[in-house]
Amino acid sequence: MSVDGNPVKRPRPSPLPLPELTGPDESYSSDSSASSAASIATVRPLSGEQPAPDSHWTRFFDQELYHDQVLENGDHARYHVYITLPSNLSKGPLFICHHGAGASGLSFAVFAQEVRQLLPEAGILSLDARGHGDSTVIGASGAPIVDFSLETLVADVISMIRLTAKSLSWPTIPPTILIGHSLGGAVMTTLATDPHYKIFGNNLVGYSVLDVVEGSAIEALTHMRRLLTSRPQSFDSVDAGIKWHISSRTLRDARSAAASVPSLLRPTSERATADPDLSDNARVTWRTDLSSTAPWWEGWFTGLSKKFLIGHGAKLLILAGTDRLDKELMIGQMQGKFQLVVIPEAGHFVQEDVPARTAELLVEFWRRNDRGAMVLPPKVSDLLKMGKKV
């Protein structure tokens, strides 16, 4: 069993022990931090080792990184990310992905695999938000910090990007496409606006929002508590949790469910967490208490349409079904300010339900907006053949 209590049924390689934090490193602090952090990594198993299950994270990413950071208020953050590096850091692309509320970085696992099949040189950085997956923020008392404000989540993403760049010795952040699903769409859209986008220098190519529109999202908040109370509070096993996600149509792709659902669950028994022999049949519950995020729900989405339209870089909005665009977005679409794609066969988790289609759209989006692609003028002989005057 890994040190964080994930079920052994789909084990993660155990991270190295938590390093001692020896104090601030002002040379690479983020706006929200007063200290630096050590980064520890787990990498894809060597070829001679026992192969991982098809749903294991190493099937989709090359490394997982843990970044430790002491924040300005003294809280201790341990950020967790999955990454596959682009083959050329100066050319990219690097797709940086942020999941929705209650999900994890493995929400983009199969999507990442599909992207690499279409564009082998691409890199993917998928983040666990605080309180999700393996990212935690602990206060001085040892209790988890409950702060899911949009401002805090954006500061966390900036820290994760900067710490990843530092730990991998990047001279600059590669040409980047930001991708955010639901809550992640609000986070990434905010990251693309002043002053946050400046962390990318000139390398923010564009951003894509998956299945969230301001008006519809705010309207849906009134139903969220009812939906939370209607779902199971625990499952007999991880496999039972996966089956529920499929049978309830929460997720519509079995590969995606097998890859992402285990990271959403934890054993309910402390004994099961400590004893690997018990964890195969351990009852599991949700890793993230979504109800604790309720005070910030409206703040996530208020003003999203305006920010989406004024953010820096190209813009792509992917929706499942025929969600309503509010007035600002309708005007923006008519003015050609962003690309809109509707995928009616997908549910809310677009990147998990139709990962191949989502990957196609994002790779096409990158190719269309890649400023590094050299476009040569037509040859004179070709112009003459077309009857053009030269």
Side-chain angles (χ1 to χ4, degrees), residues 352-374:
E352 297 201 55
D353 292 347
V354 285
R357 177 60 177 148
T358 308
E360 289 174 5
L361 291 170
L362 267 299
V363 168
E364 176 190 336
F365 181 65
W366 156 256
R367 287 172 171 160
R368 188 167 59 251
N369 295 287
D370 176 16
R371 295 188 291 266
M374 183 177 296

Side-chain angles (χ1 to χ4, degrees), residues 36 68 99 116 121 169 189 208 235 237 247 250 268 277 282 297 323 330 342-343 359 380:
S36 100
D68 290 286
H99 58 79
R116 292 280 291 184
E121 65 269 26
S169 301
T189 296
S208 176
F235 302 96
S237 65
S247 63
T250 302
T268 58
D277 294 332
W297 287 349
D323 204 351
M330 289 181 66
V342 178
I343 308 179
V380 173

Side-chain angles (χ1 to χ4, degrees), residues 82-277:
Y82 300 95
I83 187 165
T84 296
L85 291 172
S87 56
N88 188 319
L89 290 175
S90 63
K91 294 182 178 180
L94 177 66
F95 295 96
I96 304 181
C97 308
H98 194 299
H99 58 79
S104 79
L106 290 178
S107 184
F108 289 91
V110 180
F111 164 81
Q113 188 177 62
E114 297 287 351
V115 166
R116 292 280 291 184
Q117 290 180 358
L118 295 170
L119 196 65
E121 65 269 26
I124 299 96
L125 173 61
S126 193
L127 317 172
D128 279 349
R130 62 167 57 200
H132 295 70
D134 282 351
S135 286
T136 58
V137 180
I138 304 297
S141 66
I145 298 299
V146 182
D147 178 4
F148 293 98
S149 65
L150 184 60
E151 179 183 20
T152 295
L153 295 174
V154 171
D156 285 344
V157 171
I158 292 173
S159 292
M160 282 187 265
I161 294 172
R162 284 177 164 166
L163 291 168
T164 298
K166 181 182 180 182
S167 67
L168 297 176
S169 301
W170 292 350
T172 59
I173 298 172
T176 293
I177 298 286
L178 301 176
I179 306 170
H181 170 245
S182 197
L183 162 62
V187 174
M188 292 311 215
T189 296
T190 305
L191 188 58
T193 59
D194 290 324
H196 310 296
Y197 81 97
K198 295 178 182 178
I199 70 166
F200 301 101
N202 295 319
N203 280 345
L204 178 57
V205 176
Y207 53 99
S208 176
V209 169
L210 308 183
D211 206 46
V212 62
V213 172
E214 178 180 348
S216 299
I218 292 176
E219 288 178 10
L221 294 181
T222 58
H223 308 290
M224 276 297 294
R225 290 189 183 277
R226 178 175 55 82
L227 291 174
L228 289 180
T229 57
S230 66
R231 71 176 185 172
Q233 296 303 301
S234 62
F235 302 96
D236 289 337
S237 65
V238 172
D239 279 345
I242 294 172
K243 290 175 182 177
W244 177 84
H245 279 79
I246 296 295
S247 63
S248 66
R249 303 281 284 170
T250 302
L251 299 177
R252 304 183 182 187
D253 183 280
R255 288 185 307 157
S256 293
S260 67
V261 172
S263 66
L264 312 183
L265 304 171
R266 61 174 178 81
T268 58
S269 166
E270 292 184 5
R271 186 168 174 239
T273 303
D275 188 344
D277 294 332

Side-chain angles (χ1 to χ4, degrees), residues 305-320:
S305 293
K306 180 178 180 179
K307 285 190 289 187
F308 178 75
L309 293 172
I310 66 172
H312 292 260
K315 304 162 182 65
L316 170 63
L317 177 60
I318 301 177
L319 299 178

